[in-house]
mmCIF file of all heavy atoms in Angstrom:
data_model
loop_
_atom_site.group_PDB
_atom_site.id
_atom_site.type_symbol
_atom_site.label_atom_id
_atom_site.label_comp_id
_atom_site.label_asym_id
_atom_site.label_seq_id
_atom_site.Cartn_x
_atom_site.Cartn_y
_atom_site.Cartn_z
ATOM 1 N N MET A 333 -5.408 42.422 -0.641
ATOM 2 C CA MET A 333 -4.311 41.465 -0.514
ATOM 3 C C MET A 333 -4.050 41.117 0.951
ATOM 4 O O MET A 333 -3.759 39.968 1.284
ATOM 5 C CB MET A 333 -3.037 42.042 -1.157
ATOM 6 C CG MET A 333 -1.907 41.045 -1.256
ATOM 7 S SD MET A 333 -2.324 39.670 -2.372
ATOM 8 C CE MET A 333 -0.843 38.692 -2.260
ATOM 9 N N LEU A 337 -4.024 37.361 2.783
ATOM 10 C CA LEU A 337 -2.908 36.848 3.583
ATOM 11 C C LEU A 337 -3.365 36.493 5.000
ATOM 12 O O LEU A 337 -2.916 35.480 5.565
ATOM 13 C CB LEU A 337 -1.780 37.878 3.639
ATOM 14 C CG LEU A 337 -0.992 38.088 2.343
ATOM 15 C CD1 LEU A 337 0.010 39.233 2.503
ATOM 16 C CD2 LEU A 337 -0.255 36.802 1.953
ATOM 17 N N ASN A 338 -4.248 37.282 5.557
ATOM 18 C CA ASN A 338 -4.741 37.001 6.910
ATOM 19 C C ASN A 338 -5.535 35.683 6.948
ATOM 20 O O ASN A 338 -5.385 34.878 7.869
ATOM 21 C CB ASN A 338 -5.619 38.148 7.406
ATOM 22 C CG ASN A 338 -4.806 39.382 7.749
ATOM 23 O OD1 ASN A 338 -3.611 39.301 8.038
ATOM 24 N ND2 ASN A 338 -5.432 40.551 7.717
ATOM 25 N N THR A 356 -4.353 13.830 7.065
ATOM 26 C CA THR A 356 -5.107 13.565 5.837
ATOM 27 C C THR A 356 -4.453 14.178 4.616
ATOM 28 O O THR A 356 -4.374 13.547 3.555
ATOM 29 C CB THR A 356 -6.546 14.095 5.969
ATOM 30 O OG1 THR A 356 -7.183 13.462 7.087
ATOM 31 C CG2 THR A 356 -7.347 13.813 4.715
ATOM 32 N N LEU A 358 -1.208 15.665 4.442
ATOM 33 C CA LEU A 358 0.252 15.606 4.330
ATOM 34 C C LEU A 358 0.817 14.189 4.355
ATOM 35 O O LEU A 358 1.849 13.918 3.730
ATOM 36 C CB LEU A 358 0.909 16.425 5.450
ATOM 37 C CG LEU A 358 0.698 17.944 5.395
ATOM 38 C CD1 LEU A 358 1.425 18.620 6.547
ATOM 39 C CD2 LEU A 358 1.185 18.517 4.064
ATOM 40 N N GLY A 429 -7.433 -23.402 -12.366
ATOM 41 C CA GLY A 429 -8.063 -24.059 -13.499
ATOM 42 C C GLY A 429 -7.342 -25.345 -13.848
ATOM 43 O O GLY A 429 -6.254 -25.628 -13.338
ATOM 44 N N THR A 455 -13.712 -18.781 -12.593
ATOM 45 C CA THR A 455 -14.011 -17.450 -13.126
ATOM 46 C C THR A 455 -14.507 -16.478 -12.056
ATOM 47 O O THR A 455 -14.914 -15.358 -12.382
ATOM 48 C CB THR A 455 -15.052 -17.549 -14.251
ATOM 49 O OG1 THR A 455 -16.163 -18.337 -13.803
ATOM 50 C CG2 THR A 455 -14.445 -18.189 -15.481
ATOM 51 N N ALA A 467 -3.782 -18.005 -22.516
ATOM 52 C CA ALA A 467 -2.551 -18.794 -22.657
ATOM 53 C C ALA A 467 -2.838 -20.178 -23.227
ATOM 54 O O ALA A 467 -2.160 -20.631 -24.159
ATOM 55 C CB ALA A 467 -1.861 -18.913 -21.299
ATOM 56 N N TYR A 483 0.510 -32.426 -41.661
ATOM 57 C CA TYR A 483 -0.354 -33.298 -42.451
ATOM 58 C C TYR A 483 -0.334 -32.883 -43.928
ATOM 59 O O TYR A 483 -0.161 -33.727 -44.819
ATOM 60 C CB TYR A 483 -1.784 -33.249 -41.912
ATOM 61 C CG TYR A 483 -2.796 -33.947 -42.796
ATOM 62 C CD1 TYR A 483 -2.925 -35.341 -42.773
ATOM 63 C CD2 TYR A 483 -3.597 -33.210 -43.670
ATOM 64 C CE1 TYR A 483 -3.835 -35.984 -43.586
ATOM 65 C CE2 TYR A 483 -4.520 -33.848 -44.498
ATOM 66 C CZ TYR A 483 -4.629 -35.229 -44.464
ATOM 67 O OH TYR A 483 -5.531 -35.857 -45.276
ATOM 68 N N ASN A 510 -1.743 0.468 -23.682
ATOM 69 C CA ASN A 510 -1.550 -0.591 -22.691
ATOM 70 C C ASN A 510 -1.221 -1.893 -23.418
ATOM 71 O O ASN A 510 -1.928 -2.903 -23.318
ATOM 72 C CB ASN A 510 -2.798 -0.763 -21.819
ATOM 73 C CG ASN A 510 -2.530 -1.616 -20.586
ATOM 74 O OD1 ASN A 510 -1.401 -2.004 -20.311
ATOM 75 N ND2 ASN A 510 -3.571 -1.914 -19.828
ATOM 76 N N LYS A 557 -12.818 40.521 6.332
ATOM 77 C CA LYS A 557 -13.576 41.790 6.261
ATOM 78 C C LYS A 557 -14.841 41.637 5.414
ATOM 79 O O LYS A 557 -15.252 42.561 4.703
ATOM 80 C CB LYS A 557 -12.705 42.911 5.663
ATOM 81 C CG LYS A 557 -11.354 43.107 6.326
ATOM 82 C CD LYS A 557 -11.465 43.561 7.763
ATOM 83 C CE LYS A 557 -10.070 43.873 8.331
ATOM 84 N NZ LYS A 557 -10.081 44.075 9.785
ATOM 85 N N GLY A 566 -8.058 33.141 0.015
ATOM 86 C CA GLY A 566 -7.235 32.858 1.188
ATOM 87 C C GLY A 566 -7.471 31.472 1.749
ATOM 88 O O GLY A 566 -6.525 30.792 2.173
ATOM 89 N N LEU A 574 -0.496 23.189 -2.341
ATOM 90 C CA LEU A 574 -0.079 21.872 -1.870
ATOM 91 C C LEU A 574 -0.432 20.796 -2.884
ATOM 92 O O LEU A 574 0.411 19.949 -3.227
ATOM 93 C CB LEU A 574 -0.747 21.564 -0.520
ATOM 94 C CG LEU A 574 -0.486 20.160 0.051
ATOM 95 C CD1 LEU A 574 0.996 19.985 0.372
ATOM 96 C CD2 LEU A 574 -1.343 19.918 1.293
ATOM 97 N N ARG A 628 -19.233 14.614 11.524
ATOM 98 C CA ARG A 628 -20.364 14.293 10.646
ATOM 99 C C ARG A 628 -19.942 14.330 9.177
ATOM 100 O O ARG A 628 -20.377 13.498 8.369
ATOM 101 C CB ARG A 628 -21.505 15.281 10.900
ATOM 102 C CG ARG A 628 -22.143 15.155 12.263
ATOM 103 C CD ARG A 628 -22.931 13.853 12.370
ATOM 104 N NE ARG A 628 -23.436 13.647 13.703
ATOM 105 C CZ ARG A 628 -24.576 14.156 14.156
ATOM 106 N NH1 ARG A 628 -25.322 14.908 13.361
ATOM 107 N NH2 ARG A 628 -24.986 13.891 15.388
ATOM 108 N N LEU A 693 -15.614 20.375 -17.548
ATOM 109 C CA LEU A 693 -14.989 20.811 -16.290
ATOM 110 C C LEU A 693 -15.213 22.298 -16.039
ATOM 111 O O LEU A 693 -15.489 22.711 -14.901
ATOM 112 C CB LEU A 693 -13.491 20.504 -16.317
ATOM 113 C CG LEU A 693 -13.064 19.079 -15.937
ATOM 114 C CD1 LEU A 693 -11.589 18.864 -16.246
ATOM 115 C CD2 LEU A 693 -13.340 18.797 -14.462
#
Side-chain angles (χ1 to χ4, degrees):
M333 189 65 181
L337 289 175
N338 287 337
T356 301
L358 293 181
T455 50
Y483 171 79
N510 193 6
K557 308 295 186 191
L574 175 64
R628 293 291 174 85
L693 277 170

